[in-house]
Amino acid sequence: MAKKLHLKDFILRSLFLTVPFSNPAYAATNEFTYQVYAGGLHAVEAKLTFSTNPQQNAYDINLDAYTRGWLNSLVPWQGSFQTIGHADQDTFIPKTHQSKSIWKGEAESKTFAYEKRNLVRLTLEEEGVKTDITKLDQSLTEETTDILSATFNVMNHTLESGKCSGESDVFDGKRRFTLFFRDKGEDVLTPSKYNIASGPARICIVEIEPKGGQWHKKPRGWLSIQEQGRQKGTLPSVWMGQVPGFNYAVPVKIKVKTNYGTLLMHLTNVNQT
């Protein structure tokens, strides 16, 4: 079994994280490309894709990411994440969510199936072995969502209200936590050689709060990164801006301070079809 690496969790949560499912025909697709820099070095490339079908109130979100350059030689990792769901009164509710990662050529995946806003089945696949889990601890899974849908709801709320705020309970297969977005005010961005974003953007402070499950006594992974930022005076921050032709606010910049330097994610390209 491949050794787990805390950096994987760092990348996944910082990006706000594809094997295709059967899905309806989507009326519009918007693809956003990001470059991630760690300590000033180009470390990760990611693509975030939103497909929507207003007539069926359906949505499909994909996040694909992989390490680059020097980091890829040390940490050859790639991840794909997909959520398919529907909208109900301006709330995005997942039907299925899948996360898949490949570390040193070995793949593992988790597939979450939801019914009526509750997780009803979790399918794990590792080293070619698939396990279906239907007996789930409801105290961990009831009324939870996935991280992509949670972020999409905040994107929608930000454009409607002018404030970046929201909270959702998420179960990641082992742990339940509340994902908070808190508005920190407005910033005005100008395009640069790193980022194409332009105009006003809301700054969101992002924080997770453990709610049960298999948490370590000493913070690890993303929780450790979060607390490092807190000690340095700032929690992870996301800038939500508007892109012409897209009906929701979009993450255009992310900044995370750690003991090993600052991680920055920049929007570098938009493709709309």
Side-chain angles (χ1 to χ4, degrees):
M1 182 182 298
K3 182 180 179 181
K4 306 296 189 228
L5 191 68
H6 299 324
L7 181 59
K8 181 179 71 173
D9 290 330
F10 178 39
I11 294 170
L12 296 188
R13 303 290 193 221
S14 299
L15 292 172
F16 280 98
L17 7 12
T18 304
V19 176
F21 291 99
S22 173
N23 53 35
Y26 290 98
T29 297
N30 294 263
E31 180 185 83
F32 304 93
T33 302
Y34 301 90
Q35 308 301 329
V36 182
Y37 296 84
L41 298 174
H42 193 184
V44 175
E45 180 170 320
K47 291 186 184 296
L48 181 61
T49 305
F50 295 89
S51 299
T52 56
N53 185 324
Q55 292 184 345
Q56 298 185 24
N57 290 327
Y59 69 94
D60 183 341
I61 310 173
N62 292 270
L63 172 62
D64 298 286
Y66 61 93
T67 50
R68 289 177 50 101
W70 67 272
L71 184 58
N72 188 60
S73 64
L74 297 173
V75 189
W77 170 87
Q78 65 186 77
S80 298
F81 313 89
Q82 182 185 39
T83 298
I84 290 175
H86 71 280
D88 182 6
Q89 297 182 349
D90 292 330
T91 298
F92 297 102
I93 302 170
K95 179 180 179 181
T96 56
H97 171 73
Q98 183 180 67
S99 66
K100 181 179 180 180
S101 62
I102 301 175
W103 160 246
K104 288 187 175 180
E106 295 189 17
E108 62 178 30
S109 69
K110 299 177 185 177
T111 303
F112 302 76
Y114 299 87
E115 289 182 6
K116 298 180 179 179
R117 308 193 186 203
N118 293 315
L119 181 66
V120 295
R121 185 174 69 255
L122 173 62
T123 302
L124 308 176
E125 186 170 356
E126 190 169 1
E127 296 183 337
V129 178
K130 184 179 292 188
T131 305
D132 281 318
I133 303 173
T134 55
K135 293 184 179 180
L136 299 162
D137 185 343
Q138 290 190 353
S139 67
L140 299 179
T141 63
E142 189 174 22
E143 295 187 1
T144 58
T145 186
D146 69 281
I147 198 166
L148 293 178
S149 296
T151 304
F152 199 14
N153 279 311
V154 173
M155 292 165 59
N156 182 42
H157 180 265
T158 299
L159 197 60
E160 288 184 341
S161 69
K163 300 287 186 181
C164 179
S165 61
E167 64 179 80
S168 299
D169 275 16
V170 177
F171 177 67
D172 68 1
K174 291 184 178 180
R175 298 164 291 268
R176 182 180 181 131
F177 58 90
T178 302
L179 176 64
F180 293 98
F181 289 81
R182 298 186 175 97
D183 193 90
K184 196 183 176 183
E186 185 178 280
D187 190 12
V188 178
L189 301 176
T190 56
S192 69
K193 66 178 182 179
Y194 295 106
N195 199 317
I196 65 172
S198 177
R202 301 303 300 185
I203 305 174
C204 313
I205 298 300
V206 182
E207 183 177 8
I208 64 171
E209 180 181 321
K211 291 291 187 178
Q214 300 177 32
W215 294 91
H216 296 281
K217 291 183 179 180
K218 183 177 180 180
R220 296 186 182 183
W222 173 250
L223 193 58
S224 174
I225 297 298
Q226 173 179 287
E227 296 311 308
Q228 290 173 32
R230 193 191 306 276
Q231 293 174 6
K232 293 181 177 297
T234 180
L235 289 170
S237 303
V238 180
W239 279 250
M240 292 283 193
Q242 190 168 0
V243 171
F246 189 57
N247 295 327
Y248 310 93
V250 179
V252 295
K253 178 181 174 182
I254 289 178
K255 184 177 182 179
V256 183
K257 287 190 175 182
T258 78
N259 292 339
Y260 308 100
T262 300
L263 181 146
L264 288 167
M265 185 187 83
H266 292 291
L267 176 66
T268 58
N269 190 57
V270 177
N271 184 30
Q272 298 172 314
T273 57

